[in-house]
Structure formats: structure tokens, C-alpha cells
Amino acid sequence: MKKQYVSMLAIILSASGFLFSCGDKKKNTGALEFDSIQVNRTAHLFGDTAKPACNLVISVEYPVKSTDAALKDTLLRYILSECFGDKYSPLAADAAAAEYTNNYVADYKNDCEATYAEMAKENPDKDMIGHWYAYYKSIKGNVQLYEKNLLVYKNYQEEYTGGAHGMYATHFLNLDLSTLKPLQLDDLFDTPDYREVLTDLIWNQLMAEHKVTTHEALEDLGFGVTGEVAPIENFYLSKDGITFFYNVYDIAPYVNGPVQVTIPYVMMNKIMGAHPILKELQAQ
């Protein structure tokens, strides 16, 4: 009897584990698992450590396992294209990073060695010259949200190529895992005037955050000076709403930094479509 009891308990636990496993896989489409590419490469002009150098740092998260091989491979293509460029997307992750690194170093040397040598002849202040030729680039890609049929991927890049300051930018990929296609605003909103409505909501949110009551007062703070304040395709979805991400110079001067504007779902009910991902996010 005791032996039968133990056997029955083992069967129950095994079945429970199977059900939980199936539930987990059903919760997040593809049951994706991720690893990351890590690169930190420094290369000096003319191979001389006494001369200026470029430094490339890469940290890119990418899928390595999935219950759906086609989903994993398609997602990898999107990530490599987003982080490195379209021509690298057909490659394996490690190969793409290695080729990108080699091309970055080669471009740096081709662009800078001749001009650096010429300037070094004319100017004895090697430290000043070196500052202008000390290049740097960082690429950081990571999964920001992975929930059921939605995967939000964040790509942050920073670069310095001489001059007063470097440049940096963040871009987002919102991927519908059920269709293996990136989500665009037209997929999420179904009223003809949704862009006009979103524009008003963005202005109102910015005014509320900066404690002003008019567009003119917001413009005095720099918003709308370098670009139109309007909905853009660089956005990310979350449980809180849709966040529009404006990089430096998109709508404001460099000194303002990047600008994020989150519009809660409840404020967009009249213009949102019936996309299943929106329903999933709002139900949480």
C-alpha cells in the first residue's frame, strides 16, 4: 500500500510539473531564452599604443533557445539588423559582432591615420590632437519586456568621433510574436484622426509634467524647437501605456536630453483598436 501511495504521488507531481511547464510556455510565446554578445575592443592608430585609439563596447542580448525555431531565427534577424545594420542580419550572432567590430576598426584607421599623421607634423601638441582622434562607440541591446505575444527590445547606442560632444540615441522594437512582425502605430489605432488626438495628448502630458499651461510656455523650455511634437514610431509598449521616446534634437535641443512621454491606455480608449496585445497589456 505504501509503495502504491508513493507511486501515485510521483505521478501527480509529474503531471503537475508538466502542466506548469505547458502553462509557462503558453504564457510567453516561444519560451525564449537569451544570451548576450560581449565585445570590448581597443585599436590604436598605426598599431602604436602611444597614439590615439578607438574603443568599441558591445553588449547585445539575443535569443539562443525557443520552442519555435522560426520565431527565434526571425527575432535574431531583427535584433542584428537593429543593433548592427541590415547587412549583418543574415549572420550568426557572434559572426555579426566580429565582422562589425573588424569593420569599425578598419573604418577608424582608414578615416584617421592619414589626417592624424599630417596634423602631428604641423602641431607639436600631441595631447590636443589625440583628444580629437580618440573615438568611442557603445552598443547595448536588451529585452525590455517579454510578455505573452509581445517582446519589446531596446537598442541604446553612444558614439564619439571628436568634437564638442558625442551623440547617443535609443530605439525600440515592439515585436508581435504571433505574426513575427514589428508593431507600428497604424496597427494599434483604428480611427482616422488618431495622430491628431495623440498629438494633443502628448502636448498635454508635457505641459502637466513641466507645470505649464500653454504651448508657448512649453516652447520657451525648448520643446518643439528642433522638431515637431507629434507621435512617432520610436515608442515602446508597457503595462502602463504607450511611451514615445524622443532622442536628442528630435523635439528639443541637446541640452534637454532625450524626452519620454507616456500616455496611459485609459486616455486613449476612444482611438485604440482591438489589437490582442493591447488587450493583454490592459488586462494585467
Side-chain angles (χ1 to χ4, degrees), residues 50-236:
K51 291 182 170 55
C54 67
N55 178 227
L56 175 65
V57 177
I58 296 173
S59 178
V60 170
E61 197 172 9
Y62 68 100
V64 291
K65 290 183 181 180
S66 175
T67 55
D68 185 336
L71 184 153
K72 176 179 72 69
D73 291 343
T74 301
L75 178 58
L76 177 61
R77 305 280 82 79
Y78 278 122
I79 288 173
L80 295 180
S81 178
E82 177 66 37
C83 293
F84 302 127
D86 291 343
K87 72 177 183 178
Y88 298 93
S89 65
L91 304 177
D94 290 342
E99 185 170 327
Y100 183 91
T101 300
N102 290 336
N103 288 340
Y104 176 79
V105 170
D107 289 344
Y108 168 69
K109 290 188 174 184
N110 289 337
D111 292 343
C112 297
E113 283 187 340
T115 55
Y116 172 80
E118 188 65 29
M119 289 187 69
K121 289 179 182 178
E122 300 174 357
N123 194 323
D125 189 348
K126 299 294 191 298
D127 290 338
M128 185 195 75
I129 299 174
H131 173 73
W132 289 91
Y133 287 89
Y135 284 21
Y136 169 78
K137 186 165 188 176
S138 173
I139 302 174
K140 296 180 181 179
N142 66 277
V143 176
Q144 179 161 294
L145 177 66
Y146 177 28
E147 193 77 30
K148 297 183 180 178
N149 284 317
L150 174 66
L151 188 141
V152 179
Y153 196 86
K154 177 182 179 181
N155 172 30
Y156 172 80
Q157 299 201 12
E158 182 179 358
E159 185 169 21
Y160 178 77
T161 56
H165 58 72
M167 282 296 296
Y168 59 97
T170 303
H171 293 97
F172 294 90
L173 171 69
N174 301 269
L175 190 70
D176 182 347
L177 299 180
S178 67
T179 63
L180 300 182
K181 293 181 179 179
L183 291 166
Q184 306 295 325
L185 292 178
D186 283 348
D187 300 319
L188 305 175
F189 299 95
D190 62 1
T191 58
D193 64 341
Y194 81 82
R195 290 187 180 274
E196 288 79 4
V197 176
L198 283 176
T199 297
D200 289 339
L201 290 172
I202 292 168
W203 274 103
N204 291 340
Q205 191 69 18
L206 283 171
M207 288 190 292
E209 291 176 3
H210 293 276
K211 298 179 174 58
V212 296
T213 56
T214 65
H215 285 200
E216 291 74 17
L218 201 58
E219 289 167 352
D220 288 341
L221 297 175
F223 296 98
V225 172
T226 59
E228 182 183 3
V229 177
I232 56 174
E233 294 296 341
N234 192 32
F235 66 88
Y236 63 86

Side-chain angles (χ1 to χ4, degrees), residues 13-35:
L13 290 174
S14 177
S16 299
F18 173 77
L19 290 173
F20 279 120
S21 175
C22 290
D24 288 343
K25 290 178 181 178
K26 185 177 181 181
K27 181 180 179 182
N28 289 338
T29 300
L32 290 157
E33 296 179 25
F34 297 86
D35 198 352

